[in-house]
């Protein structure tokens, strides 16, 4: 594990990814060509979730199930796949749009294989790149997974954050494949925000009459 560079399509330097790489808990900085901080990734004390600082915003990276389901809280981006497959999309939780596209390029300008990250909104590029770097780190270390989403009240969420140690990679392999598929299918088929609002209004109208 060592520092590496990220380039724009025209070969200009976007950022250098720097860390001491001692463990998954190590802080990771994305430093621009003018030595400015473009993003910072700070795993929590268990390296279960990561804080992702981009500009003045802080997002939370969650691995629900390693190699299968990732989430960037704050941006509302979900990835139901792994970048190791060579192609993946980050879908917006609210409207199901593919905000981020990731693909493996066999040879980038003679530098060898790399991941290509494309965004529809250029203002979200830093967050998108940081999200993909988080996934790379998690998959490289085969770190902990939060576990598939479950409904919890506020106290339940606090207890879960405080006491739960997460699932190891070996434990994640024991989760039934059918449960993973059903969970992902349910998430992908959830109504968009607009659809939910329409159904809510329709429901209210039916109740009124």
């Amino acid at each position: 594990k060592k520092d590496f560079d990220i380039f724009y399509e025209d070969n200009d330097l976007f950022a250098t990814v720097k860390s001491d790489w001692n463990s998954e808990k190590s802080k990771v900085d994305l430093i621009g060509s003018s030595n400015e901080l473009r993003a910072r990734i700070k795993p929590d004390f268990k390296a279960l979730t990561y804080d992702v600082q981009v500009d003045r915003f802080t997002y939370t990276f969650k691995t629900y199930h390693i190699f299968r389901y990732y989430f960037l809280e704050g941006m509302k981006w979900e990835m139901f796949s792994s970048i190791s497959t060579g192609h993946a999309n980050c879908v917006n939780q609210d409207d199901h749009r593919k905000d981020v596209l990731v693909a493996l390029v066999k040879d980038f300008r003679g530098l060898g294989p790399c991941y290509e990250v494309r965004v529809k909104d250029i203002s979200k590029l830093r967050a998108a790149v940081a999200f993909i770097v988080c996934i790379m780190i998690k998959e490289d270390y085969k770190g902990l997974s939060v576990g598939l989403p479950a409904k919890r009240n506020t106290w339940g969420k606090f207890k879960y954050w405080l006491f739960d140690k997460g699932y190891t990679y070996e434990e994640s392999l024991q989760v039934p494949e059918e449960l993973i598929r059903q969970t992902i299918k349910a998430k992908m088929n959830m109504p968009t925000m607009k659809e939910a609002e329409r159904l809510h209004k329709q429901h209210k109208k039916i109740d009124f009459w």
Side-chain angles (χ1 to χ4, degrees):
K1 298 175 179 66
K2 60 181 180 179
D3 297 347
F4 60 94
D5 294 326
I6 301 173
F7 296 93
Y8 287 107
E9 192 172 13
D10 62 5
N11 216 26
D12 284 346
L13 181 67
F14 171 78
T16 298
V17 182
K18 296 185 176 183
S19 177
D20 58 29
W21 305 112
N22 288 331
S23 72
E24 187 186 353
K25 297 179 183 179
S26 297
K27 179 187 70 177
V28 178
D29 287 339
L30 278 67
I31 307 296
S33 57
S34 300
N35 209 36
E36 77 279 13
L37 181 66
R38 289 188 174 270
R40 172 167 288 167
I41 299 168
K42 295 176 64 177
D44 65 16
F45 66 98
K46 295 179 288 189
L48 182 58
T49 65
Y50 307 165
D51 280 346
V52 182
Q53 299 173 5
V54 181
D55 298 323
R56 65 182 185 278
F57 303 104
T58 300
Y59 309 108
T60 301
F61 168 74
K62 294 182 178 180
T63 301
Y64 284 121
H65 195 93
I66 191 167
F67 292 106
R68 298 298 295 274
Y69 184 10
Y70 302 98
F71 183 59
L72 188 62
E73 195 172 87
M75 293 302 293
K76 297 185 177 181
W77 284 340
E78 296 175 307
M79 180 185 286
F80 302 108
S81 182
S82 165
I83 58 174
S84 62
T85 63
H87 181 82
N89 302 314
C90 299
V91 180
N92 188 290
Q93 190 180 52
D94 283 346
D95 54 23
H96 298 178
R97 289 183 308 172
K98 296 177 181 178
D99 283 351
V100 185
L101 306 177
V102 185
L104 180 64
V105 177
K106 291 183 178 180
D107 186 26
F108 176 72
R109 299 183 184 275
L111 297 175
C114 71
Y115 288 110
E116 179 183 52
V117 180
R118 291 186 177 273
V119 292
K120 291 185 176 180
D121 184 348
I122 193 64
S123 67
K124 298 177 181 178
L125 181 61
R126 293 188 185 189
V129 171
F131 185 29
I132 301 307
V133 172
C134 287
I135 295 172
M136 293 172 65
I137 294 169
K138 179 62 70 172
E139 294 188 350
D140 193 50
Y141 281 101
K142 293 185 177 178
L144 297 173
S145 296
V146 174
L148 297 175
K151 290 184 178 180
R152 298 183 179 89
N153 58 26
T154 303
W155 173 239
K157 290 178 180 178
F158 176 74
K159 288 194 297 183
Y160 180 82
W161 176 83
L162 190 63
F163 300 112
D164 194 88
K165 297 180 180 179
Y167 296 88
T168 65
Y169 173 67
E170 290 73 21
E171 288 172 333
S172 71
L173 295 177
Q174 298 173 21
V175 178
E177 177 64 25
E178 184 61 24
L179 176 60
I180 300 171
R181 283 204 302 265
Q182 288 179 357
T183 302
I184 291 176
K185 183 178 179 180
K187 293 291 292 182
M188 293 177 71
N189 291 334
M190 285 183 66
T192 64
M193 188 67 72
K194 288 184 178 180
E195 290 171 343
E197 289 175 355
R198 178 181 61 79
L199 291 171
H200 179 64
K201 289 178 181 178
Q202 184 180 17
H203 180 67
K204 286 174 66 179
K205 185 176 181 180
I206 292 172
D207 282 350
F208 175 79
W209 287 106

